[in-house]
Amino acid sequence: MSNYELGAGDKIMITVFREPDLTLEAKLTDAGTIIFPFLGEMNVKGLTVGRLKDKITQSLSGRYLKDPRVTVSVLEYREFFVNGEVNRPGAFPYLPGLTVQKAISIAGGFTERASQSSVLLEREKDVARQGIEVELDAPIAPGDVVIVEESFF
């Protein structure tokens, strides 16, 4: 997921080759920051793993290390949410490749009163948080909210 943007709640692993003191696991704070040795508090919210790797490499290069080799990986993605007419509404760990239908299955499936044709998706990136009607094969991202409406007979 090379274009995945880091956000609050993601847990990442940063490794600097042959520098065990600079290797750490960190969970992004609510503000989207981490504390990294030598560099202090860094705002990483919205960065991709590749951009964060480059930022750390550039910051360490010269001042602290001659030729730092940095890797960054996501250990745990932030949660997504399923609300409405599902058997187990709530927050669930994100998995790459998740669709609305898979998210509903993780939440225990539709209830008897659920409208299987009216499912809304609130994107985390949408500041207005307005749900849009989506198909069951629509992809979801961490932080998104799937809302299953009630069917009206």
Side-chain angles (χ1 to χ4, degrees):
M1 209 187 241
S2 61
N3 61 350
Y4 176 74
E5 293 180 0
L6 296 170
D10 285 332
K11 185 175 182 181
I12 59 174
M13 166 75 101
I14 302 170
T15 306
V16 181
F17 184 65
R18 292 193 175 160
E19 297 291 336
D21 292 342
L22 298 179
T23 295
L24 73 119
E25 290 182 11
K27 190 167 193 169
L28 275 66
T29 66
D30 290 346
T33 62
I34 61 168
I35 304 290
F36 192 80
F38 297 131
L39 306 179
E41 186 174 32
M42 299 177 69
N43 185 1
V44 300
K45 182 178 182 179
L47 295 180
T48 63
V49 169
R51 284 191 284 165
L52 177 55
K53 176 185 92 71
D54 293 345
K55 182 176 182 173
I56 293 171
T57 300
Q58 290 170 356
S59 297
L60 291 174
S61 213
R63 289 179 24 199
Y64 301 105
L65 300 171
K66 187 173 185 166
D67 183 24
R69 286 188 267 163
V70 178
T71 60
V72 179
S73 57
V74 179
L75 297 177
E76 294 174 15
Y77 296 94
R78 59 194 179 276
E79 297 174 321
F80 69 94
F81 307 87
V82 183
N83 295 327
E85 294 299 321
V86 292
N87 288 306
R88 289 189 319 273
F92 303 93
Y94 177 78
L95 302 166
L98 204 56
T99 63
V100 169
Q101 184 163 5
K102 290 176 185 175
I104 291 169
S105 294
I106 291 169
F110 293 108
T111 65
E112 289 180 14
R113 298 184 338 203
S115 169
Q116 296 184 26
S117 63
S118 182
V119 178
L120 301 177
L121 182 61
E122 289 182 3
R123 294 275 182 204
E124 181 183 53
K125 288 184 172 189
D126 178 12
V127 291
R129 298 298 275 189
Q130 293 183 353
I132 55 168
E133 197 162 316
V134 293
E135 300 293 323
L136 294 178
D137 62 352
I140 67 168
D144 287 354
V145 180
V146 176
I147 303 163
V148 178
E149 303 270 279
E150 185 176 354
S151 177
F152 296 103
F153 297 99

